[in-house]
Amino acid sequence: LGDVYKRQGMVIIWIILGALLLWEIQSVWYAKHWDEELFVSLAFSRKSTVRGESCELLETIENRKLLPLPVLKVKFQVSRQLAFEDAGTESSVTDQYYRNDVFSVRPYTRHIRSLRFTCKKRGFYSINGLDVVAGDLFLTHELPKSLPVDSQLYVYPRPFRGMDFNGALRQLSGEVATKRHLQEDPFEYLGIREYTPRDTLRDVNWKATARSGELKVNQKGCTAQRSVRLVVNLEDGAILRQEDLLEASIEMAAAAAELFIGQGIRTSLETNGPDLLTKEAVCLKASCGAGHLDSIFRGLARIDLEKPAPSFEPIRERLEEMEDRESLCTIFFSADARPEFQQLLEKFRKEKREFIWFCPVNRIIRPEINAGIRPYTRLIDVEEGGRL
């Protein structure tokens, strides 16, 4: 009986030693080889979207080796303005949104997880890196590693919609169209666009129409280079910061750009809003070519309102020095109604320069407008403007 117990004891000892040896071997092996042929990436499903719309972040993991990964954690952070639908206990939200996703990855497999979110705010968002943490076969060690990622998303401002604003903007576009004594240059080809009732049959591109199934016309340049000038003043003269009015100014400019460029009218943009990336004021020269509307929307998306906008004074001086021979109309978007700004508009009126001022207001901010420029001013209530 004693020999039996002795043999059983030796068996147990050998089992324990074997387990310890296996644990040590797999521990060393995982430490050296767990990240070989492992690819983890994050990519937005689109390059751009509009505030209030939904988008997806694609989380892809590829394990191209025989070694399995029982547990793989993927950690990253992104702006809290991207509201993920499945945000739960694995994630936390402070100034940033911190996410921790857990996977079990078999050999030679690919996992793609689609994370749906809603864009709460206009802006430019990026994910510049992620961390992965793997566990060994017995989950006794954590093996971390940082990986580079370069995923970017533009969230465009949603073009402002409101009965008063849309009516005034349509009326203005009609006036601009009638004053636009321009002839098309048949030798300057800018691209293909959708057919509008103003186009004639001779402008139709029949090959593009046949391919798309919808009427398409050739977009041509203009011999004269007159344009509409959009000016966005983001100085905030209020005692309490009114970010909703500043955002409304940006959204109104987006709506105006969409309308005029859609009509083939050259449009420029000038703001005192700092670019989130370059730190320079967002300004774009006049154009109506393919891609110009996207350029304006990208510029508006990158305006950083986290800090107060620089003084409007340099733009005011530049506008006063400009001649209006190349401008059909100057459209101002500004919640700031201080005397200095109204003096600029008064000078425009006295010089008989074509302009209009869209001034976003709410129940708190109702500025006094000088009598001389009142006919050229439209007060737009953002709380009744149909915004999301």
Side-chain angles (χ1 to χ4, degrees):
L1 187 60
D3 291 340
V4 173
Y5 287 135
K6 187 176 180 179
R7 286 195 298 269
Q8 288 179 346
M10 290 300 295
V11 170
I12 294 173
I13 291 173
W14 280 111
I15 291 174
I16 294 174
L17 290 174
L20 290 174
L21 180 60
L22 177 62
W23 175 83
E24 183 65 25
I25 291 173
Q26 68 85 34
S27 180
V28 172
W29 189 265
Y30 266 89
K32 290 184 176 181
H33 302 287
W34 74 273
D35 58 343
E36 292 180 358
E37 296 299 318
L38 176 66
F39 302 91
V40 182
S41 65
L42 296 171
F44 292 106
S45 59
R46 288 182 281 174
K47 292 183 179 180
S48 62
T49 185
V50 177
R51 180 186 66 83
E53 292 187 353
S54 295
C55 191
E56 293 179 341
L57 179 65
L58 302 179
E59 194 172 17
T60 304
I61 298 174
E62 291 185 70
N63 185 22
R64 302 176 185 174
K65 61 179 181 296
L66 186 62
L67 189 68
L69 299 173
V71 174
L72 182 70
K73 299 177 183 178
V74 179
K75 302 180 179 183
F76 63 92
Q77 65 183 45
V78 71
S79 172
R80 62 182 177 180
Q81 302 301 336
L82 305 182
F84 286 81
E85 294 180 355
D86 65 341
T89 56
E90 301 86 4
S91 310
S92 63
V93 179
T94 54
D95 57 330
Q96 292 280 306
Y97 174 77
Y98 297 90
R99 189 171 182 101
N100 182 11
D101 292 328
V102 182
F103 297 83
S104 180
V105 186
R106 296 192 301 273
Y108 300 106
T109 57
R110 173 191 293 175
H111 294 263
I112 300 178
R113 182 175 292 179
S114 178
L115 308 175
R116 193 168 184 82
F117 60 88
T118 301
C119 305
K120 295 165 54 179
K121 190 175 181 180
R122 167 198 63 83
F124 173 75
Y125 303 100
S126 62
I127 303 176
N128 299 317
L130 60 83
D131 295 319
V132 290
V133 181
D136 59 17
L137 197 60
F138 294 103
L139 306 180
T140 54
H141 289 90
E142 289 193 337
L143 307 166
K145 184 176 182 179
S146 296
L147 298 175
V149 171
D150 187 19
S151 298
Q152 300 175 345
L153 175 69
Y154 279 94
V155 178
Y156 293 160
R158 177 175 291 278
F160 192 92
R161 300 288 184 256
M163 186 177 298
D164 292 342
F165 175 73
N166 285 358
L169 196 60
R170 282 196 299 268
Q171 180 182 354
L172 177 63
S173 69
E175 294 173 357
V176 168
T178 57
K179 295 175 183 176
R180 190 177 168 220
H181 303 297
L182 305 178
Q183 294 181 349
E184 288 186 337
D185 184 350
F187 300 105
E188 185 180 359
Y189 178 73
L190 297 180
I192 297 172
R193 59 176 173 81
E194 299 288 338
Y195 174 85
T196 66
R198 291 190 179 92
D199 297 314
T200 62
L201 288 178
R202 67 183 179 185
D203 296 323
V204 174
N205 187 315
W206 295 108
K207 290 184 178 180
T209 298
R211 284 196 300 268
S212 65
E214 299 178 351
L215 279 175
K216 303 288 184 179
V217 297
N218 294 321
Q219 185 174 357
K220 299 172 184 176
C222 302
T223 55
Q225 299 298 308
R226 302 186 72 191
S227 61
V228 169
R229 183 187 297 131
L230 308 181
V231 180
V232 185
N233 176 20
L234 296 172
E235 269 195 298
D236 190 358
I239 298 176
L240 298 176
R241 183 174 174 82
Q242 299 291 322
E243 189 170 336
D244 62 328
L245 301 185
L246 301 180
E247 288 290 348
S249 296
I250 293 173
E251 293 181 352
M252 289 179 190
E258 184 179 58
L259 176 63
F260 289 113
I261 293 176
Q263 293 178 346
I265 299 175
R266 291 167 53 83
T267 305
S268 66
L269 174 69
E270 188 144 8
T271 83
N272 59 340
D275 191 307
L276 185 67
L277 299 180
T278 67
K279 310 303 179 184
E280 301 289 335
V282 174
C283 298
L284 292 165
K285 294 182 179 180
S287 176
C288 61
H292 187 56
L293 181 60
D294 276 338
S295 296
I296 288 181
F297 273 38
R298 283 195 296 269
L300 294 175
R302 292 209 308 259
I303 290 178
D304 184 9
L305 293 181
E306 292 296 322
K307 298 179 181 178
S311 171
F312 188 71
E313 184 65 18
I315 297 179
R316 184 185 69 80
E317 294 175 354
R318 196 157 56 246
L319 291 174
E320 288 179 344
E321 295 172 357
M322 284 181 178
E323 296 183 5
D324 256 15
R325 289 178 300 178
E326 295 184 356
S327 175
L328 290 164
C329 181
T330 301
I331 308 175
F332 293 93
F333 305 92
S334 174
D336 181 17
R338 285 178 291 182
E340 298 86 350
F341 180 75
Q342 296 197 38
Q343 287 170 8
L344 169 65
L345 304 188
E346 186 64 32
K347 183 175 181 180
F348 266 55
R349 184 188 68 82
K350 291 179 179 179
E351 295 176 355
K352 297 183 179 180
R353 299 167 70 173
E354 297 290 338
F355 77 95
I356 189 171
W357 173 23
F358 288 104
C359 179
V361 298
N362 56 25
R363 67 185 71 180
I364 300 174
I365 304 296
R366 293 277 174 174
E368 289 292 330
I369 309 298
N370 294 344
I373 61 173
R374 206 169 290 159
Y376 305 90
T377 304
R378 302 291 182 271
L379 299 181
I380 307 298
D381 192 333
V382 301
E383 295 171 347
E384 298 178 359
R387 299 172 69 220
L388 290 179

